[in-house]
Amino acid sequence: MNLLDTIVQSKKQEIAYLKTHFSNRFFEEQPLFNSATRSLKKSIENSVTGGIIAEFKRQSPSKGVIHAHADVEAITTGYTAGLVAGISVLTDAPFFGAQPNDFAVARANNPIPLLRKDFILDEIQLWESKAMGADAILLIARILTGEALERLTAEAHQLGLEVLLELHQEEELEKINPELVDMVGINNRNLNSFEVALHHSIALGKKIAEKCLKIAESGIDAEETLRYLQEHGFHGFLIGEQFMKQENPGEYCQQFIHNLR
């Protein structure tokens, strides 16, 4: 069993717990459930600062601890001050070190679109996401069938959530429904080796319909890398580790964007 399989098995246990202890009605009754959502897609399209989605995470399976004592309020408000298009918040605890209130703190302090980044496999996670105040969610093609992707995307849209569909391999292209998808993310990191290969992502991006908003994910470690990906048709850029490994991620993000401009 590889790492991704291990994560999925862990997530299935979390989902079983959610379904046993909570209902859609419970989430529907939470204060943020009926709040208006913000469009991450439009924010990226209208961005004048590079269409960056800045990510908050404490650790990752490939890098271990990145920023153990990260202050979610200070970092995410620093991102917002840098005029990012959106903020991604990891909500997985076992593998990414998320704390229970990370998303709530980010939501309370930032008026911009928030992406809930997790391993979503079931509709109840969408209801949970809406109750958390998410504006968009991540769906990973590698761990979902085409039918499941369409079902979850339709349910997310019913709840007012946008979907970032993440691809890793060419065979996953057939899972894209251009009429449903909001944004397509191409992860530059190989999930098996965890190596970054920009050329692979660029080649894959060229096979995605022009109408799809394309987001580059992982391995963006310099302004020149972002510009290079822009030249090859990418509209948005999810940057996590490069920011989070700094002593002050918010300030670094602001300087990164200043250099871009």
Side-chain angles (χ1 to χ4, degrees):
M1 182 181 291
N2 62 32
L3 177 59
L4 186 59
D5 291 335
T6 301
I7 293 173
V8 168
Q9 288 304 312
S10 172
K11 197 59 55 177
K12 286 179 178 177
Q13 292 176 13
E14 288 183 26
I15 291 167
Y17 179 87
L18 274 178
K19 288 187 166 183
T20 301
H21 292 82
F22 303 97
S23 64
N24 289 353
R25 175 60 65 85
F26 168 83
F27 292 121
E28 197 172 14
E29 291 173 347
Q30 300 310 300
L32 294 179
F33 188 88
N34 291 310
S35 59
T37 51
R38 307 151 184 84
S39 174
L40 179 58
K41 180 179 180 180
K42 288 182 180 177
S43 185
I44 292 168
E45 289 173 333
N46 296 331
S47 174
V48 295
T49 57
I52 291 172
I53 305 170
E55 187 159 270
F56 179 88
K57 62 181 177 183
R58 291 185 170 82
Q59 66 187 53
S60 76
S62 60
K63 297 295 182 179
V65 175
I66 301 169
H67 202 137
H69 305 293
D71 183 321
V72 63
E73 179 178 349
I75 291 172
T76 58
T77 55
Y79 287 161
T80 295
L83 303 180
V84 296
I87 297 173
S88 167
V89 180
L90 262 296
T91 58
D92 176 82
F95 300 93
F96 289 87
Q99 294 182 4
N101 66 338
D102 281 346
F103 202 96
V105 173
R107 177 73 290 161
N109 289 280
N110 297 281
I112 66 173
L114 295 190
L115 169 74
R116 182 195 181 185
K117 194 174 182 187
D118 209 313
F119 298 82
I120 291 180
L121 304 168
D122 190 274
E123 283 85 350
I124 197 167
Q125 294 168 287
L126 303 178
W127 287 71
E128 180 188 39
S129 300
K130 187 67 168 65
M132 293 164 66
D135 301 295
I137 53 99
L138 179 78
L139 293 180
I140 303 172
R142 179 80 172 269
I143 61 175
L144 294 164
T145 65
E147 185 277 330
L149 281 171
E150 292 214 6
R151 188 183 72 250
L152 290 169
T153 299
E155 181 84 0
H157 288 167
Q158 283 286 105
L159 293 169
L161 300 168
E162 291 182 334
V163 173
L164 171 59
L165 172 60
E166 180 176 291
L167 304 179
H168 293 84
Q169 299 173 326
E170 185 171 345
E171 49 265 38
E172 294 162 1
L173 288 170
E174 64 185 31
K175 296 181 180 181
I176 299 177
N177 182 340
E179 302 306 317
L180 281 180
V181 69
D182 299 301
M183 299 160 282
V184 177
I186 300 180
N187 199 316
N188 302 312
R189 196 180 304 281
N190 184 299
L191 283 182
N192 295 318
S193 66
F194 287 98
E195 294 178 351
V196 172
L198 296 183
H199 64 278
H200 168 75
S201 301
I202 289 168
L204 189 55
K206 292 183 185 303
K207 298 179 180 180
I208 295 172
E210 285 294 324
K211 67 189 297 183
C212 293
L213 189 78
K214 288 182 280 190
I215 312 294
E217 304 173 20
S218 298
I220 302 169
D221 56 4
E223 295 88 344
E224 293 75 17
T225 306
L226 189 149
R227 292 192 186 100
Y228 175 70
L229 289 164
Q230 277 181 326
E231 291 170 3
H232 286 85
F234 287 88
H235 311 97
F237 307 89
L238 195 152
I239 306 176
E241 182 188 329
Q242 183 63 21
F243 293 161
M244 288 300 302
K245 71 181 182 181
Q246 310 300 327
E247 183 176 349
N248 190 320
E251 283 187 6
Y252 182 91
C253 170
Q254 292 170 38
Q255 186 60 50
F256 188 97
I257 290 174
H258 175 76
N259 293 344
L260 275 177
R261 303 176 75 181

